[in-house]
């Protein structure tokens, strides 16, 4: 039986069906949506993840970018997750860290660094806040944003109708759409996880730098993807912390076997001493730093003597 004859009998457009014939000559029709469902079943069973990296990015380095690639490879390799996006969120000026240059420069450098990335982007929300925002609030902001977008997408998904479609086929599609809208197993929004280096785990132990309840919520409700660095022992910090140990299943430690000890602190030191930073930061970032003369002994004294925002806030709250 020819394909045109099948179309005449079924009323199904050729573009929405595939045909296979067994050795007895019988014809089986496979609807395109059924085929796509089978093909995407493996991905649908995986939890989609958005990696969020918070920090000064003062300046952003090649190591910051490597964190995203390492974390993505690791999570995808577990077979349980699928990384769909990476977000770089530079901290705002109100953080008051010593040597922290204005946020708009750090945002521009991050945007230049990710210019050619297909999946990592820069978000300015945190950097634009007048007051310093806790990391937990930044995580919550992005999770709520993803859930709102996911809800709106599911409610507003249009049904495309092709001209000349048979009435029976249209009714079948409408019935199918109604069933999908009633199906409680709608696709969940991606889960935001905090991407960090092992030094962040160390910082959890600094008095008044973090609220204990914030640490608990971060590891329990979101989770950490922690990339080890030379001189850090992430597993040791997890073992020594009751909170981290309790939620260790939600903390993924990624080993960086290709040693890379680039840090923003060392980059700034080299710049103050007039030394080259080429191949330590993306070329466009180096060019931007040089054009704007961003780092010097004077810039390193910025916020000198000022108490770090989280220490100031948490210490004050602890006294009340």
């Amino acid at each position: 039986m020819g394909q045109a004859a099948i179309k005449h009998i079924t009323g199904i457009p050729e573009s929405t069906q595939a045909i296979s014939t067994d050795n007895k000559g019988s014809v089986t029709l496979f609807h395109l949506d059924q085929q796509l469902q089978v093909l995407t079943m493996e991905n649908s069973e995986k939890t989609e993840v958005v990696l969020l990296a918070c920090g000064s990015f003062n300046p952003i380095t090649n190591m910051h970018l490597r964190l995203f690639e390492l974390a993505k490879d690791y999570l995808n390799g577990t077979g349980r997750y699928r990384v769909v996006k990476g977000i770089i969120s530079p901290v705002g000026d109100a953080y008051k860290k010593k040597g922290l240059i204005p946020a708009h420069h750090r945002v521009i450098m991050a945007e230049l660094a990710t210019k050619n990335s297909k999946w990592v982007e820069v978000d300015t929300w945190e950097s634009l806040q007048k007051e310093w925002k806790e990391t937990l609030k930044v995580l919550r902001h992005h999770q709520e944003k993803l859930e709102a977008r996911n809800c709106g997408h599911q409610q507003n998904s249009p049904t495309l109708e092709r001209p000349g479609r048979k009435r029976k086929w249209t009714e079948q599609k409408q019935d199918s759409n109604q069933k999908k809208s009633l199906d409680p197993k709608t696709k969940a929004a991606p889960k935001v996880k905090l991407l960090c280096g092992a030094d962040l785990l160390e910082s959890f132990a600094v008095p008044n730098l973090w609220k204990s309840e914030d640490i608990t919520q971060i590891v329990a409700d979101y989770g950490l993807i922690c990339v080890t660095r030379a001189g850090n022992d992430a597993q040791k910090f997890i073992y020594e912390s009751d909170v981290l140990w309790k939620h260790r299943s939600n903390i993924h430690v990624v080993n960086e076997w290709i040693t890379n000890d680039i840090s923003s602190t060392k980059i700034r030191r080299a710049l103050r001493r007039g030394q080259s930073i080429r191949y330590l930061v993306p070329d466009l970032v180096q060019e931007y730093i040089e054009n704007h003369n961003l780092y010097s002994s004077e810039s390193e004294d910025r916020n000198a003597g000022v108490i770090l925002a989280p220490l100031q806030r948490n210490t004050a709250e602890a006294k009340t």
Side-chain angles (χ1 to χ4, degrees):
M1 183 182 293
Q3 201 163 0
I6 294 171
K7 177 184 175 182
H8 176 73
I9 293 173
T10 63
I12 303 174
E14 296 172 7
S15 59
T16 60
Q17 63 185 14
I19 304 167
S20 68
T21 306
D22 60 20
N23 55 8
K24 295 181 180 180
S26 61
V27 178
T28 306
L29 299 178
F30 296 95
H31 293 218
L32 184 58
D33 57 347
Q34 293 174 324
Q35 289 180 299
L36 291 175
Q37 185 177 6
V38 172
L39 292 172
T40 59
M41 187 175 296
E42 182 180 349
N43 280 336
S44 65
E45 294 173 351
K46 297 178 181 178
T47 301
E48 292 188 340
V49 170
V50 170
L51 298 171
L52 173 67
C54 298
S56 300
F57 301 101
N58 187 38
I60 192 167
T61 73
N62 287 338
M63 185 57 198
H64 289 130
L65 303 177
R66 279 292 297 161
L67 293 180
F68 282 93
E69 298 296 329
L70 290 164
K72 182 180 181 181
D73 284 347
Y74 173 85
L75 286 181
N76 288 349
T78 65
R80 294 185 292 136
Y81 303 100
R82 185 167 70 91
V83 176
V84 295
K85 185 195 289 188
I87 299 175
I88 292 175
S89 179
V91 74
D93 294 336
Y95 188 55
K96 299 298 182 182
K97 186 176 183 179
K98 184 178 181 296
L100 189 67
I101 67 169
H104 72 274
H105 285 306
R106 293 181 284 111
V107 167
I108 291 173
M109 286 189 287
E111 289 175 340
L112 290 171
T114 56
K115 185 177 181 180
N116 295 323
S117 177
K118 295 180 179 178
W119 67 283
V120 180
E121 61 186 40
V122 181
D123 189 272
T124 61
W125 180 81
E126 183 184 1
S127 68
L128 293 174
Q129 303 304 304
K130 292 181 179 180
E131 295 184 351
W132 167 73
K133 292 293 182 183
E134 294 92 337
T135 299
L136 176 60
K137 291 182 179 178
V138 182
L139 283 162
R140 187 179 297 142
H141 164 78
H142 286 285
Q143 187 63 63
E144 290 175 351
K145 186 176 177 180
L146 285 168
E147 289 172 356
R149 183 180 301 171
N150 186 66
C151 181
H153 175 73
Q154 289 182 357
Q155 290 178 353
N156 300 321
S157 295
T159 303
L160 299 178
E161 296 294 337
R162 297 182 181 178
R165 176 173 288 184
K166 298 288 185 179
R167 181 178 178 181
K168 183 178 180 181
W169 174 249
T170 303
E171 291 172 350
Q172 289 174 342
K173 290 296 291 180
Q174 289 174 343
D175 182 59
S176 174
N177 288 336
Q178 289 175 357
K179 289 180 180 178
K180 288 178 182 178
S181 65
L182 296 173
D183 189 352
K185 297 180 180 179
T186 53
K187 187 177 180 181
K191 301 298 182 183
V192 177
K193 291 185 179 295
L194 184 63
L195 173 62
C196 65
D199 53 345
L200 184 132
L201 294 184
E202 289 184 66
S203 74
F204 284 164
V206 177
N208 292 322
L209 186 61
W210 295 83
K211 294 178 183 177
S212 58
E213 57 267 30
D214 281 13
I215 296 174
T216 301
Q217 280 193 263
I218 288 172
V219 294
D221 299 341
Y222 297 93
L224 295 176
I225 313 299
C226 179
V227 180
T228 62
R229 198 176 192 165
N232 295 119
D233 188 349
Q235 295 291 1
K236 181 175 181 288
F237 294 121
I238 295 171
Y239 171 75
E240 293 178 346
S241 167
D242 288 342
V243 172
L244 299 183
W245 181 258
K246 179 180 179 181
H247 301 285
R248 63 189 181 278
S249 62
N250 210 20
I251 302 174
H252 303 272
V253 177
V254 183
N255 293 315
E256 166 60 291
W257 298 110
I258 303 174
T259 303
N260 189 337
D261 197 28
I262 300 172
S263 71
S264 297
T265 301
K266 293 179 179 179
I267 296 294
R268 296 197 306 276
R269 182 181 298 134
L271 288 166
R272 291 198 305 273
R273 297 174 180 179
Q275 298 173 337
S276 172
I277 60 169
R278 193 172 188 190
Y279 307 122
L280 301 178
V281 300
D283 290 343
L284 290 176
V285 172
Q286 179 190 358
E287 183 179 341
Y288 186 86
I289 290 172
E290 292 173 349
N291 288 343
H292 293 82
N293 192 26
L294 292 182
Y295 296 103
S296 62
S297 298
E298 291 73 22
S299 70
E300 197 65 19
D301 287 335
R302 184 181 173 90
N303 295 323
V306 179
I307 299 175
L308 202 64
L311 287 174
Q312 186 176 2
R313 182 182 299 177
N314 296 336
T315 301
E317 290 180 359
K319 291 180 179 178
T320 58

